[in-house]
Amino acid sequence: MKKTIALLLALVMCISLCACGSTPADDSEKLAINAYTNADGEAFIVNEKGEALQVPGGEKVAFAEMTADREHVVVQYENNDLSVFDSSMEQEVKIASDVSSIVAIRDSGVIYHLDQYAGLTVDEVLKSIVADYGKDLDSEKAEETEDAKDAEVADEAEDAEVADEAEDAEAADEADEAEDADADTAEVENDAAEKDKISVSSLKEELDEDADVEDAINLYRNVIGKYYKDVYQLSDSYVRYLFDGTEAVEIRAAERVIVADDNLNVIYTVDDTIYSMLETEAEGTKLATCKADFIAPIAISSVTGQAVWGDCESITISQKSSTPTYKYSKYFGFYSYYTTTYEYHYNVTYYTYSNNDTVKLFEASDLDSAAETEVYFTNNGSSFIMYDDASEDGKLYTWDAENGCTSHNTGGEIDSSLYIANGALTYENEAAVDGVYYETCSDDSYELYYLSFTGDREKIVSGLSYEGVQIFNGNLYYIDEDNVLYTASIAGAELGEKEKIASDVYDYKLMSDGKTVAYLKDYDSDDGGSLFIKSSGKDAEKIASDIKYFHCTDKNNLLVMKDTQAVSDSISAIYGELYLYNGGDELVKISSDVMLGSLAKYTTARGYDEDSLVFEKYDSSNDDGIVVSVMYYNGKETSSVLSDILY
């Protein structure tokens, strides 16, 4: 049961940073840079200088990414080789072959997953089909021969009994038996000849031209009626490689691996046991053995290695959907295999590891997933805040070594990020946190609460719109149900006098200084709306009309999209005219036909870098997709960097 559920359960923790629209960051931390790939499989990294650095090598590139510190470029080729380059793309270190996927890239290194079928060929699996099917045939032949012998003995006895009564009848029977024997022999020989035609080459005709080892294993399972004999003994490993040249560490037989937010600390499972391993360690530390059906790793701190996991008991497993795929073989007839989706419910007991001991945190019942638990490490990883998105029980938990685990009543399911007075709570926080802000929804009405970890829960604002709140430097911004945008100072549960900024507000973003808000009002889906900015102590200023999309820059300015349209009726991607608002009387045009989605590729935590802006310009669309050019804006002029790039 543990193995089955372990194979079916997918645990994913996604952490994303937005360029604007969330709370501004205090620093200019940069995000990783993904490569651009053209139709020929050539990949390029475009740096903040507008330089296009081609990824070397004769093989096509499947994936390439420059680390956030801009020191290394990790490249996976289509032949599953993995390499790392320096930032100039001049020095290469070949890391591994047979890499099926990259699990995590951090400034310090990379964790990758080895191909479990490495070293196994399609021919080898097909040879097993021929051999194992032949064994079945030999068994059938032996049974047929034995049955024939038994029948012959019986017939001889029967013939002896009637010999004296009917010599003519006996002769006739013998003649019939000889004829039947000849027919049986011919049938067996024909069957054997047909089976002898089964070979590796003939079985390849049963597979698609581009079939891989996994396809051959599926054929084995459907023809022979059981899993390929070595499928669970094949190599299945995660490997940690550090850029400093430290020897790579292999995590063999790991089933689920969760990586820390800022480095390569990991928490992982092997069978029914959970381990943690710090980036500085070469071996894992055993934390606990599973008591229920399986263990779900949840989170691990980048600073202290504090680990959190769930011991999961499956209470309901129901088949949600099952889609058959049918195939026909001239040797084996029709056979089918199913792609099945299951729905699970769980009872989960959560644990952490502290002072060389496993500590029980709390229990949760009837969860849709064990993976939707949010963990925020605070006070440099020595404590954490935890709640479960999949639970509606209105509980949030805090833990530290001195006080243990404490349960807090949130008053309902949390429907927003967690905030502190300085902004949105991140997964790793240096400071201790004594309370959080969050939104709940009741009867389609959103409410903002402050939960003190040493006191009670208090309602701050009612009647919020779904767009939610933003809090930064002790100031709260929110839109109410009547689309009125307000701001007010906030400290703990104390809310200052609210100030109305504007009515009929469709969207707003807090700019990088944390004191200026940009907002769209009087919006309609056809023409857009009017864009305003409002700084503390100043009147609102209208920037432009007929605007649908806008973004913040790291210099407290705005990128504005005008005259937007979809690529086609069948392709929903948006492109339009891109302008910069930098405080002047007129918008500065950067480029035409800019793909809206491309702006998200280059940013810092504070906003788009307006003096080093990389974006994509729409050129055309075809059967392969959208073709774009990569452009670069240096704060003064725009130039083309790459062309014929697939969007």
Side-chain angles (χ1 to χ4, degrees):
M1 183 67 172
K2 295 177 184 177
K3 172 68 74 174
T4 301
I5 297 178
L7 290 172
L8 293 171
L9 179 70
L11 295 172
V12 179
M13 298 186 72
C14 296
I15 302 171
S16 60
L17 294 171
C18 299
C20 185
S22 59
T23 304
D26 291 329
D27 55 36
S28 57
E29 177 188 358
K30 296 181 178 180
L31 307 182
I33 297 177
N34 291 322
Y36 291 98
T37 305
N38 62 22
D40 295 327
E42 297 172 324
F44 302 84
I45 294 287
V46 179
N47 60 25
E48 280 102 341
K49 299 178 181 179
E51 299 169 334
L53 307 174
Q54 184 173 356
V55 177
E59 293 291 334
K60 289 187 176 181
V61 173
F63 170 85
E65 181 177 286
M66 178 177 278
T67 55
D69 65 1
R70 307 299 188 252
E71 294 294 327
H72 300 91
V73 179
V74 177
V75 179
Q76 183 181 11
Y77 296 95
E78 287 191 359
N79 66 357
N80 291 333
D81 285 349
L82 184 66
S83 291
V84 60
F85 293 84
D86 66 344
S87 59
S88 65
M89 302 299 293
E90 294 177 352
Q91 298 181 7
E92 177 186 12
V93 176
K94 294 182 178 180
I95 300 176
S97 301
D98 301 317
V99 174
S100 63
S101 62
I102 296 174
V103 178
I105 297 175
R106 301 290 185 264
D107 290 347
S108 55
V110 58
I111 292 179
Y112 57 90
H113 188 210
L114 288 175
D115 183 358
Q116 65 172 329
Y117 302 134
L120 185 65
T121 65
V122 171
D123 284 3
E124 187 175 344
V125 179
L126 297 185
K127 286 177 182 177
S128 295
I129 296 178
V130 174
D132 290 355
Y133 202 87
K135 291 175 184 176
D136 293 339
L137 177 61
D138 291 340
S139 177
E140 290 173 8
K141 283 182 179 180
E143 289 179 6
E144 290 173 2
T145 301
E146 192 64 33
D147 290 343
K149 288 181 178 179
D150 291 343
E152 183 179 353
V153 171
D155 288 342
E156 288 176 353
E158 184 179 351
D159 290 344
E161 291 177 4
V162 300
D164 293 339
E165 298 179 5
E167 290 183 0
D168 292 340
E170 180 183 354
D173 288 341
E174 289 177 352
D176 290 340
E177 288 169 12
E179 184 178 348
D180 291 341
D182 291 341
D184 290 341
T185 301
E187 183 177 349
V188 171
E189 289 176 349
N190 288 337
D191 286 345
E194 183 66 22
K195 301 305 182 185
D196 287 342
K197 292 180 182 178
I198 299 175
S199 64
V200 170
S201 59
S202 63
L203 284 171
K204 282 186 177 179
E205 298 177 4
E206 307 292 327
L207 298 172
D208 295 333
E209 185 176 347
D210 58 349
D212 57 18
V213 171
E214 190 169 0
D215 295 321
I217 287 176
N218 285 332
L219 179 63
Y220 182 98
R221 182 173 72 245
N222 288 291
V223 170
I224 304 302
K226 58 185 178 182
Y227 282 103
Y228 181 70
K229 56 187 175 182
D230 295 324
V231 72
Y232 291 122
Q233 284 72 49
L234 300 176
S235 173
D236 191 6
S237 303
Y238 293 83
V239 180
R240 184 194 69 200
Y241 176 85
L242 299 179
F243 298 143
D244 64 6
T246 304
E247 185 177 356
V249 174
E250 187 173 3
I251 312 172
R252 288 194 60 82
E255 294 169 340
R256 293 176 295 276
V257 176
I258 297 297
V259 185
D261 194 31
D262 295 332
N263 61 17
L264 293 180
N265 291 349
V266 294
I267 178 173
Y268 62 94
T269 61
V270 177
D271 294 327
D272 60 354
T273 304
I274 191 152
Y275 298 84
S276 69
M277 184 170 66
L278 302 185
E279 184 180 284
T280 55
E281 296 175 337
E283 294 183 0
T285 299
K286 179 180 176 180
L287 305 183
T289 299
C290 181
K291 298 177 181 178
D293 289 330
F294 61 91
I295 293 184
I298 302 297
I300 184 168
S301 168
S302 301
V303 181
T304 62
Q306 185 84 32
V308 181
W309 69 91
D311 206 346
C312 306
E313 175 191 1
S314 175
I315 58 174
T316 304
I317 306 178
S318 59
Q319 182 172 308
K320 194 173 183 181
S321 65
S322 185
T323 306
T325 299
Y326 297 99
K327 286 197 173 185
Y328 177 77
S329 166
K330 65 181 179 181
Y331 297 111
F332 316 118
F334 281 103
Y335 63 90
S336 63
Y337 57 90
Y338 285 79
T339 302
T340 305
T341 303
Y342 295 91
E343 186 174 276
Y344 297 88
H345 295 275
Y346 308 97
N347 289 338
V348 183
T349 304
Y350 291 99
Y351 295 89
T352 189
Y353 192 77
S354 177
N355 295 325
N356 298 319
D357 192 19
T358 297
V359 179
K360 180 179 177 180
L361 298 174
F362 63 95
E363 298 179 0
S365 301
D366 198 18
L367 301 183
D368 293 333
S369 170
E372 296 184 27
T373 303
E374 300 283 354
V375 175
Y376 301 85
F377 292 102
T378 57
N379 198 17
N380 279 320
S382 62
S383 58
F384 56 83
I385 301 166
M386 182 174 179
Y387 71 93
D388 202 303
D389 276 350
S391 174
E392 299 180 4
D393 63 358
K395 296 291 184 181
L396 179 145
Y397 301 85
T398 55
W399 182 91
D400 62 67
E402 180 179 353
N403 300 303
C405 186
T406 305
S407 170
H408 307 274
N409 183 13
T410 64
E413 185 177 359
I414 295 176
D415 284 285
S416 69
S417 300
L418 297 182
Y419 290 87
I420 54 178
N422 242 5
L425 197 63
T426 60
Y427 290 101
E428 292 280 357
N429 300 270
E430 294 182 1
V433 176
D434 55 11
V436 291
Y437 301 94
Y438 59 89
E439 289 179 79
T440 66
C441 179
S442 177
D443 299 325
D444 295 327
S445 176
Y446 289 85
E447 299 172 330
L448 177 68
Y449 284 89
Y450 176 73
L451 176 63
S452 170
F453 297 154
T454 57
D456 297 325
R457 165 181 56 92
E458 295 191 44
K459 186 185 298 182
I460 305 300
V461 181
S462 299
L464 298 171
S465 73
Y466 181 75
E467 279 75 11
V469 304
Q470 292 188 43
I471 302 173
F472 188 64
N473 282 344
N475 291 305
L476 166 69
Y477 296 83
Y478 65 93
I479 300 177
D480 69 9
E481 293 175 317
D482 296 322
N483 298 322
V484 178
L485 175 62
Y486 291 97
T487 185
S489 62
I490 193 167
E494 298 297 323
L495 185 68
E497 183 178 355
K498 67 180 183 181
E499 174 190 353
K500 178 181 176 180
I501 295 177
S503 58
D504 197 22
V505 174
Y506 173 75
D507 187 20
Y508 77 101
K509 303 181 192 298
L510 191 57
M511 296 175 67
S512 59
D513 65 354
K515 302 175 183 179
T516 305
V517 61
Y519 58 91
L520 274 180
K521 62 172 295 176
D522 304 322
Y523 181 91
D524 70 65
S525 57
D526 293 329
D527 299 324
S530 298
L531 179 62
F532 291 79
I533 61 169
K534 170 73 168 66
S535 298
S536 178
K538 296 182 180 180
D539 293 334
E541 178 183 356
K542 184 176 180 179
I543 302 303
S545 301
D546 303 327
I547 303 300
K548 289 186 178 181
Y549 308 98
F550 65 101
H551 304 276
C552 306
T553 75
D554 60 347
K555 291 188 175 180
N556 214 45
N557 293 322
L558 296 172
L559 294 174
V560 179
M561 293 285 287
K562 298 187 68 173
D563 302 324
T564 56
Q565 60 182 304
V567 170
S568 68
D569 293 337
S570 59
I571 302 177
S572 59
I574 301 297
Y575 68 98
E577 311 292 297
L578 179 63
Y579 294 83
L580 173 68
Y581 168 74
N582 58 9
D585 295 333
E586 300 287 337
L587 296 178
V588 178
K589 186 172 182 178
I590 295 176
S591 179
S592 301
D593 302 330
V594 176
M595 299 298 299
L596 175 64
S598 72
L599 292 175
K601 294 188 176 182
Y602 280 78
T603 181
T604 71
R606 292 176 62 86
Y608 293 97
D609 185 350
E610 64 183 69
D611 291 336
S612 180
L613 183 65
V614 180
F615 58 91
E616 293 163 39
K617 180 177 180 180
Y618 173 72
D619 288 333
S620 63
S621 59
N622 53 43
D623 293 340
D624 294 328
I626 299 173
V627 180
V628 299
S629 294
V630 179
M631 313 296 291
Y632 177 74
Y633 178 72
N634 63 4
K636 297 180 180 179
E637 57 185 8
T638 301
S639 58
S640 178
V641 179
L642 294 169
S643 58
D644 296 325
I645 298 296
L646 294 176
Y647 179 68

